[in-house]
Amino acid sequence: MRLYTYHRSSASYRVRIGLEWKGIDREDRFVDLGKGQQLEAAYLEENPEGRVPLLVDGDVRLGQALAILEYLEEKVPEPPLLPKDLAGRARVRQLALLVVADIQPLQNTGPLVYLGEALEVSDPLRFQWYKHWVHRGLSAFEAHLARDPATGRFCHGDAPTLADVCVVPQLVNWCRNAGGDLSEWPHLARVFEACQALEAFQRAAPERQPDSPDAPPQA
Amino acid sequence: MRLYTYHRSSASYRVRIGLEWKGIDREDRFVDLGKGQQLEAAYLEENPEGRVPLLVDGDVRLGQALAILEYLEEKVPEPPLLPKDLAGRARVRQLALLVVADIQPLQNTGPLVYLGEALEVSDPLRFQWYKHWVHRGLSAFEAHLARDPATGRFCHGDAPTLADVCVVPQLVNWCRNAGGDLSEWPHLARVFEACQALEAFQRAAPERQPDSPDAPPQA
């Protein structure tokens, strides 16, 4: 499979975790969002949404991280990233979407740039916006984890699922931008630690990617 | 099943379409977002996210419209809202997520209110923000429909799917707020018309809901 990715993109990060977890080999194509390459004509030909990640698997050409993860789950079911029972699958998808639909879109680079350039919102107020939406969303996520007996070592039970795959990049983003304190959210902090101990999550991390300035030397 | 809903909420609208399409009876509980009832303690006990829709089905208590729709699809497979083939399912989910993750979160009431109240963005600039993100997203949606031979009478083939279920409320929202002209997006306009001819879509419309001031008299 071929993955169009950017090291700092948290949506790409989700898909990298999913591919690593399932042991799927990939060929990376790097799209430098810092240089706006996602909006260049050559890339828009690949993905008219002008976003990463994009997965190409034979005739399948697929954007939207969560759609890619559901596709991988159906194509390569083991090891799973969704539980088998209906209620569990629904809960995991709800938690994943809390990140994908309620947090990440609002704190993504595009809206933050638009706030500054088009709406002339000051940097401190843009940071307030970032913190407001991420804090609100992660607090709701924590409330779900705290009140539901289905929470285990990971967000749902004792193995990682799409919920962990989606929330870990959001937590990494929060730590990078807002000082790294997760003590307000003890369940999230514990799940984060459990995920970060897994090789699949480690290998997918931004600083491990070849397009990162922090990448380790290639063999 | 019990649905916590609000007539003008486009996420609730998606779930109403799904329930109507599958012929699932429901009992409505109305949450008046105009009065902020979604943030009252009694409702936060039901859903700590402070959002509608929320579906309660026995022991299952589920937020996030797309997670609810996937749950309904697994619990009541017929008539389907996802194709059977892997590539088709992936494409439909990508289109659904283009609305759910890229358009709707940015133009939702919460962010628009926050722009005005916390960031002191003027009304004309808030409207510019609304139009920017909806226009960008619907244009990307149109590009997918235009270039992919899998597009049929509906977004994917000749029966409605989750892609139609998600995009129709967004189009209704655009028509209500931005004048109703879809001529720039001919494929979307055609799909919209095909959907609006279906009884399930009609019955789910905001103005048909009992909590709408435009609701028809109850029998």
Side-chain angles (χ1 to χ4, degrees), chain A residues 44-46 48-51 60-64 66-67 70-71 74-75 86-87 89-91 93-94 97-98 100-102 105-106 110-111 114-115 118-119 121 125 128-129 132-133 136 140 143-144 147, chain B residues 44-46 48-51 60-64 66-67 70-71 74-75 86-87 89-91 93-94 97-98 100-102 105-106 110-111 114-115 118-119 121 125 128-129 132-133 136 140 143-144 147:
Chain A
L44 288 173
E45 194 61 37
E46 301 288 341
E49 296 177 28
R51 296 182 185 273
V60 172
R61 172 180 301 275
L62 197 56
Q64 295 291 338
L66 192 55
E70 293 267 5
Y71 172 76
E74 293 188 346
K75 177 150 186 180
L86 225 66
R89 296 164 71 80
R91 178 172 180 265
R93 287 186 172 121
Q94 172 178 9
L97 281 159
L98 176 45
V100 169
D102 283 358
L106 290 164
Y114 193 86
L115 282 179
L119 306 191
V121 172
L125 284 179
Q128 179 188 316
W129 163 279
H132 175 79
W133 297 111
R136 181 192 158 143
H144 281 303
R147 79 184 205 162
Chain B
L44 289 172
E45 194 60 37
E46 300 289 340
E49 296 177 27
R51 294 182 186 274
V60 173
R61 173 181 300 275
L62 197 57
Q64 295 292 340
L66 192 55
E70 293 268 6
Y71 172 76
E74 293 190 346
K75 177 150 186 180
L86 226 66
R89 297 166 71 79
R91 177 172 181 264
R93 287 186 172 120
Q94 172 178 10
L97 280 158
L98 176 46
V100 169
D102 283 357
L106 290 163
Y114 194 86
L115 282 179
L119 305 191
V121 172
L125 284 178
Q128 178 188 317
W129 163 278
H132 175 79
W133 297 112
R136 181 192 159 146
H144 282 303
R147 80 187 205 161

Side-chain angles (χ1 to χ4, degrees), chain B residues 20-213:
Chain B
E20 296 284 356
W21 179 251
K22 289 177 177 291
I24 301 169
D25 283 335
R26 70 180 199 264
E27 176 199 333
D28 280 335
R29 297 285 172 90
F30 302 110
V31 182
D32 190 335
L33 305 193
K35 294 183 177 157
Q37 288 179 346
Q38 78 279 15
L39 298 175
E40 292 176 2
Y43 185 70
L44 289 172
E45 194 60 37
E46 300 289 340
N47 182 6
E49 296 177 27
R51 294 182 186 274
V52 291
L54 178 76
L55 185 80
V56 180
D57 179 27
D59 289 341
V60 173
R61 173 181 300 275
L62 197 57
Q64 295 292 340
L66 192 55
I68 296 172
L69 289 163
E70 293 268 6
Y71 172 76
L72 295 175
E73 181 71 4
E74 293 190 346
K75 177 150 186 180
V76 184
E78 299 293 331
L81 284 170
L82 281 172
K84 300 286 176 245
D85 64 302
L86 226 66
R89 297 166 71 79
R91 177 172 181 264
V92 166
R93 287 186 172 120
Q94 172 178 10
L95 291 172
L97 280 158
L98 176 46
V99 175
V100 169
D102 283 357
I103 305 177
Q104 201 266 345
L106 290 163
Q107 60 82 65
N108 205 0
T109 307
L112 287 175
V113 168
Y114 194 86
L115 282 179
E117 292 184 357
L119 305 191
E120 299 187 347
V121 172
S122 68
D123 284 355
L125 284 178
R126 292 198 302 145
F127 189 49
Q128 178 188 317
W129 163 278
Y130 169 89
K131 284 189 295 186
H132 175 79
W133 297 112
V134 181
H135 187 274
R136 181 192 159 146
L138 292 179
S139 299
F141 203 111
E142 174 74 13
H144 282 303
L145 295 186
R147 80 187 205 161
D148 194 326
T151 306
R153 269 194 71 216
F154 295 91
C155 289
H156 189 84
D158 293 326
T161 63
L162 293 183
D164 306 277
V165 168
C166 290
V167 81
V168 161
Q170 190 65 63
L171 291 168
V172 167
N173 178 287
W174 174 262
C175 290
R176 187 170 62 210
N177 292 317
D181 185 7
L182 301 180
S183 59
E184 192 181 346
W185 305 304
H187 295 81
L188 270 172
R190 181 176 58 66
V191 163
F192 186 55
E193 193 178 357
C195 289
Q196 295 295 55
L198 297 173
E199 198 183 340
F201 284 75
Q202 292 166 9
R203 289 169 57 95
E207 69 275 11
R208 293 278 292 269
Q209 306 312 303
D211 63 331
S212 164

